[in-house]
Amino acid sequence: MWMVSPPVGIFQSTKKLVLSERAGRGQTLEFLRKNAANGLSMANLVAGLASILCSLNRQYSHSCWLLLVGFLLDLADGAVARQLNACSALGAKLDDFADFTTFGLATALLLQPQGVLEGLLVIAYVMAVFTRLCFFSSGIPFTYRGLPCPYASSLLAGTFLLTAGNVTLLRVTAAVMILFMVDRGSYPHDKVLESQLWKKAVYAGGVVAVLFSPVTVASIYCLAWTMSYIVFPSAIWSCKA
């Protein structure tokens, strides 16, 4: 009895289709790998822009919440870029722009300038963030020069929420944070998501506090986290990846 073999063309077409599907899936995964950190930077940028809009509409509590979300996104952004080996010049520029928008412009609007002195303080804060991002290169691996601006922003947002919007205290705190950011003292790279388990637990606790806890709990948690890094950078947060 004769067996009819399928045409060779069908096998070739099927093989090409499978290979093209695999190639397409591989390209998609590679695209996602290269742009995962950029996606987090974009999310940080959107949070900063939304925070600005909230401040312009005097919805300062919402603005503070968005700043805390931006703080968490920024920490995740760096970790993802390093873990996936997806660091690039474009990604670095995008991250800096997002940081300047969220932790510079959006944070400064919490100071609610009403006169010349308050306006100068806002300008000084924004310029301190600009200086910190653009000119303070440590030259030492896993070390910052000056206080990283996301921590200053988190401190101001937490202070605002915890004090029910005490602008005077917030302005004094902002002036102190300007000094910390422009100082060239060394701060260890936090690398929260790439270090000891307890640091990862701190980050996870921050996510839970910001997204699911009452405002008071989230404020106290972020203030404690931020202050521990500002006051005891080496004793507590010295990186041991």
Side-chain angles (χ1 to χ4, degrees):
M1 185 174 183
W2 293 95
M3 299 293 293
V4 180
S5 60
V8 177
I10 296 179
F11 283 119
Q12 293 178 342
S13 299
T14 304
K15 183 178 180 180
K16 288 180 180 179
L17 180 61
V18 172
L19 291 176
S20 63
E21 288 180 351
R22 289 180 179 176
R25 187 159 51 246
Q27 290 175 353
T28 301
L29 293 175
E30 181 64 13
F31 176 82
L32 293 175
R33 184 189 71 82
K34 288 184 176 180
N35 292 280
N38 292 343
L40 290 171
S41 292
M42 283 298 298
N44 184 15
L45 176 60
V46 171
L49 293 173
S51 177
I52 290 173
L53 292 176
C54 288
S55 293
L56 293 176
N57 287 283
R58 298 187 177 280
Q59 297 176 340
Y60 294 108
S61 59
H62 293 85
S63 179
C64 290
W65 181 82
L66 287 165
L67 291 176
L68 295 179
V69 170
F71 171 65
L72 296 173
L73 288 171
D74 184 68
L75 293 178
D77 169 28
V80 168
R82 289 185 294 271
Q83 287 296 306
L84 297 180
N85 192 25
C87 300
S88 65
L90 176 62
K93 291 178 182 179
L94 178 60
D95 184 53
D96 284 345
F97 182 66
D99 285 354
F100 179 73
T101 302
T102 304
F103 308 126
L105 298 176
T107 304
L109 287 178
L110 292 179
L111 303 177
Q112 305 174 43
Q114 300 294 329
V116 176
L117 291 179
E118 292 89 348
L120 290 175
L121 178 62
V122 168
I123 293 173
Y125 190 90
V126 172
M127 291 305 297
V129 173
F130 177 77
T131 301
R132 172 65 187 77
L133 290 173
C134 296
F135 301 110
F136 279 19
S137 176
S138 67
I140 305 172
F142 309 122
T143 302
Y144 297 117
R145 290 292 186 189
L147 176 68
C149 50
Y151 282 91
S153 175
S154 177
L155 180 67
L156 290 178
T159 300
F160 190 97
L161 292 173
L162 198 60
T163 61
N166 188 319
V167 181
T168 301
L169 178 60
L170 194 71
R171 290 168 182 168
V172 172
T173 306
V176 175
M177 290 301 99
I178 290 173
L179 298 178
F180 273 94
M181 284 190 287
V182 300
D183 181 65
R184 286 188 174 271
S186 297
Y187 276 84
H189 199 302
D190 42 354
K191 295 189 74 178
V192 177
L193 295 176
E194 304 160 81
S195 193
Q196 298 102 315
L197 183 60
W198 72 267
K199 292 182 182 179
K200 298 177 183 179
V202 168
Y203 182 88
V207 173
V208 172
V210 171
L211 298 183
F212 304 108
S213 300
V215 172
T216 302
V217 174
S219 303
I220 293 174
Y221 189 95
C222 290
L223 279 175
W225 179 0
T226 303
M227 286 299 297
S228 70
Y229 180 79
I230 295 173
V231 180
F232 306 107
S234 298
I236 298 179
W237 290 95
S238 183
C239 179
K240 295 178 181 178

